[in-house]
Amino acid sequence: MRKQIKYIFTGILLLTITLGFSQRKSGDTINTGVIDVVKPYTPTISDAFKVKEVPSLEDETTETKKVIKYNIFSFPVASTFTPAKGKAAIVEKRAAEKLFDNYATLGVGSYTTILGEVYLNHALSRNESIGGYVSHHSSAGGIEGLEFNDNFSNSKVNLNYSSRLRDLAWNVEAGFQHQMYNWYGVPESQITQAKANNIEVDHSFLNAHFGGDVIFEDTYINSGSFFFRRFGDNQGSGENRFVAKAKVDVPINGEEISTDVKIDYLGGSFDRNYMDTNDLDYGSFQINLSPTYELKQDDLTVNLGVSLYYANNKASSDSNLHIYPNISATYRLVNDVLIAYGGIKGDLIQNSYYGFANENPFVSPTLIVTPTDQLYNAYVGLKGKLSSNMSYNISGRYIADRNKALFRNNEITLTSQDYTYGNSFGIVYDDLKTYGVAGEINVDVNRNFKLGIKAEYFSYSTDNENEAWNLPDVKGSLFLDYQINDQWFAGANLYYIGERKDQFFLNDGMTITSPFTVVLDSYFDANAHVGYHINEQLSVFAKANNIADSAYQKWQNFPVQSIQFLAGATYKFDF
């Protein structure tokens, strides 16, 4: 007890001394001073170090681990499973098809049809080759109900030579063509008069041409070409045409402007006019310059350009400068699935006797030939891929043509010329506006099956002519190509052409009526073929044309051959 009192008394004494000292310190005066800061305070964090020592346990309750001893008793288990050795999957490889440089085809069919073609190609060296082909297609005719010959023939010969050097590749070619058709479409009202006059309705065309092209690498001049053709017929007509083209990249301020340059000369003559015996000369000379600049940004591509033409017309002795827009654009809305495109372009179209005769072989050798001034061709559309093997294209367009060439049935004049009985066609020109929409789908499956469907609708507006003569309002087509297996193959082509309108004059030999409009019925033409590869070189085929067996009229008073069959063989070979 005494010790506790002693300890308490000592503690009170120490506490009293401490408080007295503190009061004396708080009464002192606080001295002032100046503190110089040498640099701002920069706090740092020292690195933390992990304690590496393992603490020892001094707990008396900690027990030591018991040592466990165990043994594995192994015994066999009966099993009938035997694993098979793994093998790599076998990828079926299609044997590489041997390609031949040459082939020959021969076929014969109804209407005494003969079809023949030989194509030859021979490599002179690693960089040089020479080739050519000969083709012939003819028929003895025999269309039911005709009073005049309707046979035809088309024969071609072509030679070519090509060479490839380090910085350029060039090619030259020359050819000759002979065609023969007949003005057999004499209307019923004129057959008696035509037979009495013993008219000769055959009309032959001759065509000889020579041309070449060159492609450069790593130069501003990308390519160039030239072409010359002499075209004529057995009626004294003749036409010359020369075309030279070049594609050049013009550097301007670090950018390249792609520029097309073209020179186009056309000159020809006919022995007479349709209404009189005066000669008919025609000709046109054009120089074209078309620069284009391409802009690309992400999914948008725009081509900005203009097309300039200097044109001289021989018949009118007029020289004019034509300026046309040349603008197009594409935009990928959804990658390759949906692509929008559009543009507006114009052109000065060089019409020719050769072009008219190839489109309609029943023209008379009395045509007026002059260029067509296409003021603009505006179009918009959507295209893309519905899947990896199916694509589509939908478009609409508006075209404005000045001096659009239209085929129209010639007046019945009953002169000494064999084509004046309503059995030939002439050319008339008019300002034409065309509205059109089109859609197509293409399917390509494993290169063995191809299918294409296309449909088009047109509406026309003319200035002077009553109708847009011989232009259809609807066009449709379907093509099919199917490789059934390694030996068999087949295909089909179907065409539909809507109604067309033409002009007709009724002449009974004494009175010529005013022209009236006739409507040509729409027609459907289906063609199919099938073939068999006997071996890698020899194959046979069979074709059927105009399967619907309709003697439709593509041109007024000119029915076509009904259903036709043709069979033949193709042989491929090397020298």
Side-chain angles (χ1 to χ4, degrees):
M1 182 67 180
R2 264 183 198 177
K3 282 186 179 181
Q4 293 177 349
I5 295 173
K6 182 180 179 181
Y7 290 150
I8 294 172
F9 179 77
T10 303
I12 293 172
L13 180 61
L14 290 174
L15 179 60
T16 303
I17 296 171
T18 302
L19 290 173
F21 178 77
S22 298
Q23 289 175 355
R24 287 195 297 270
K25 286 294 286 185
S26 60
D28 295 342
T29 303
I30 299 175
N31 295 327
T32 60
V34 178
I35 300 174
D36 294 329
V37 178
V38 179
K39 65 175 181 178
Y41 173 70
T42 304
T44 58
I45 300 175
S46 11
D47 296 335
F49 298 95
K50 182 178 180 181
V51 178
K52 297 182 180 180
E53 296 180 357
V54 180
S56 60
L57 298 177
E58 298 179 354
D59 192 354
E60 295 179 354
T61 62
T62 301
E63 298 180 356
T64 58
K65 293 182 179 180
K66 294 181 179 180
V67 178
I68 300 175
K69 296 181 180 181
Y70 57 90
N71 295 322
I72 297 175
F73 298 97
S74 177
F75 60 92
V77 177
S79 175
T80 58
F81 174 73
T82 304
K85 295 181 178 180
K87 293 183 179 180
I90 299 176
V91 180
E92 294 183 2
K93 289 186 177 181
R94 187 174 181 178
E97 182 180 356
K98 180 175 174 56
L99 301 178
F100 296 88
D101 292 333
N102 316 281
Y103 73 86
T105 296
L106 179 64
V108 294
S110 55
Y111 293 95
T112 319
T113 299
I114 299 176
L115 176 66
E117 188 173 88
V118 176
Y119 177 84
L120 304 173
N121 186 69
H122 179 65
L124 300 176
S125 66
R126 183 178 180 181
N127 300 319
E128 294 178 294
S129 65
I130 188 172
Y133 68 86
V134 178
S135 67
H136 175 80
H137 183 202
S138 65
S139 173
I143 300 175
E144 186 177 354
L146 294 183
E147 299 290 340
F148 300 94
N149 294 333
D150 60 300
N151 59 305
F152 71 87
S153 68
N154 185 358
S155 302
K156 298 178 183 179
V157 178
N158 183 276
L159 296 173
N160 63 80
Y161 170 83
S162 62
S163 175
R164 184 173 186 84
L165 304 178
R166 180 179 178 181
D167 297 324
L168 61 90
W170 60 280
N171 172 75
V172 293
E173 58 103 10
F176 177 80
Q177 181 180 19
H178 175 267
Q179 299 170 283
M180 193 278 292
Y181 298 94
N182 287 277
W183 291 301
Y184 62 83
V186 179
E188 291 184 6
S189 60
Q190 307 304 319
I191 290 179
T192 301
Q193 185 65 41
K195 293 178 70 174
N197 293 341
N198 196 26
I199 65 173
E200 298 291 337
V201 295
D202 63 291
H203 190 197
S204 299
F205 301 103
L206 299 174
N207 164 26
H209 67 271
F210 175 73
D213 60 79
V214 59
I215 299 175
F216 299 95
E217 295 183 3
D218 301 326
T219 63
Y220 288 118
I221 302 176
N222 295 326
S223 62
S225 66
F226 74 94
F227 184 82
F228 173 78
R229 174 188 288 118
R230 170 66 182 182
F231 181 73
D233 62 13
N234 62 345
Q235 303 291 321
S237 309
E239 178 182 85
N240 297 317
R241 187 173 186 182
F242 176 79
V243 179
K245 299 180 181 179
K247 190 176 184 64
V248 183
D249 289 334
V250 180
I252 299 178
N253 294 331
E255 301 289 343
E256 290 187 354
I257 307 298
S258 179
T259 305
D260 292 326
V261 181
K262 182 175 72 171
I263 298 175
D264 193 342
Y265 167 79
L266 178 75
S269 64
F270 297 105
D271 271 0
R272 56 173 292 135
N273 201 321
Y274 188 80
M275 303 301 294
D276 54 52
T277 59
N278 295 327
D279 293 346
L280 186 60
D281 296 335
Y282 62 92
S284 176
F285 176 72
Q286 302 176 0
I287 299 177
N288 171 231
L289 187 68
S290 300
T292 304
Y293 178 66
E294 184 179 74
L295 295 171
K296 283 188 176 182
Q297 184 175 0
D298 298 331
D299 295 325
L300 177 65
T301 301
V302 179
N303 290 289
L304 302 175
V306 65
S307 188
L308 306 174
Y309 275 91
Y310 167 79
N312 177 267
N313 192 303
K314 179 180 179 181
S316 61
S317 300
D318 291 336
S319 297
N320 296 287
L321 179 64
H322 301 266
I323 303 176
Y324 304 101
N326 187 14
I327 302 171
S328 63
T330 61
Y331 182 70
R332 296 179 179 272
L333 297 172
V334 185
N335 295 327
D336 290 336
V337 177
L338 185 62
I339 302 173
Y341 67 92
I344 179 169
K345 299 183 179 182
D347 197 9
L348 188 62
I349 302 171
Q350 185 79 287
N351 295 314
S352 66
Y353 183 32
Y354 170 82
F356 291 145
N358 274 270
E359 185 175 355
N360 182 353
F362 309 115
V363 292
S364 63
T366 59
L367 305 180
I368 298 174
V369 181
T370 190
T372 294
D373 183 7
Q374 188 170 93
L375 300 177
Y376 48 85
N377 179 354
Y379 59 92
V380 293
L382 294 172
K383 62 181 179 179
K385 290 186 176 181
L386 299 176
S387 65
S388 60
N389 50 31
M390 180 180 293
S391 62
Y392 69 93
N393 190 355
I394 303 172
S395 64
R397 66 180 60 244
Y398 173 65
I399 304 173
D401 290 317
R402 182 182 296 165
N403 287 332
K404 171 71 174 179
L406 302 171
F407 292 101
R408 192 182 68 181
N409 191 249
N410 278 325
E411 299 180 22
I412 300 174
T413 58
L414 304 179
T415 66
S416 60
Q417 303 303 315
D418 301 323
Y419 47 80
T420 60
Y421 294 78
N423 58 336
S424 66
F425 292 83
I427 293 292
V428 294
Y429 293 88
D430 195 9
D431 295 345
L432 180 71
K433 294 180 177 62
T434 305
Y435 308 84
V437 293
E440 63 177 310
I441 294 178
N442 293 287
V443 180
D444 189 348
V445 182
N446 297 330
R447 297 185 303 176
N448 291 330
F449 179 83
K450 294 181 179 179
L451 173 67
I453 303 174
K454 184 176 183 180
E456 297 175 279
Y457 171 77
F458 304 97
S459 177
Y460 308 100
S461 174
T462 58
D463 279 359
N464 300 318
E465 298 294 325
N466 294 331
E467 302 289 346
W469 307 117
N470 284 292
L471 294 180
D473 55 354
V474 176
K475 294 173 67 176
S477 63
L478 181 148
F479 77 88
L480 171 67
D481 191 6
Y482 182 40
Q483 185 70 40
I484 303 172
N485 54 37
D486 291 341
Q487 283 76 40
W488 288 96
F489 60 93
N493 295 283
L494 292 83
Y495 302 96
Y496 175 81
I497 302 297
E499 292 182 346
R500 292 133 295 133
K501 297 178 181 179
D502 200 354
Q503 184 173 275
F504 182 67
F505 289 84
L506 183 61
N507 187 329
D508 59 4
M510 295 179 295
T511 304
I512 301 178
T513 64
S514 300
F516 59 92
T517 300
V518 295
V519 178
L520 302 179
D521 293 336
S522 59
Y523 64 86
F524 176 78
D525 194 340
N527 313 288
H529 68 272
V530 63
Y532 180 79
H533 295 294
I534 298 175
N535 53 46
E536 63 180 9
Q537 290 184 269
L538 181 63
S539 61
V540 293
F541 62 88
K543 296 182 178 181
N545 295 330
N546 196 4
I547 298 175
D549 196 22
S550 172
Y552 60 83
Q553 294 185 16
K554 182 177 180 180
W555 303 101
Q556 184 185 177
N557 299 322
F558 285 85
V560 301
Q561 296 177 352
S562 298
I563 188 169
Q564 309 142 44
F565 298 99
L566 184 140
T570 298
Y571 180 72
K572 295 179 286 187
F573 59 94
D574 285 332
F575 289 122

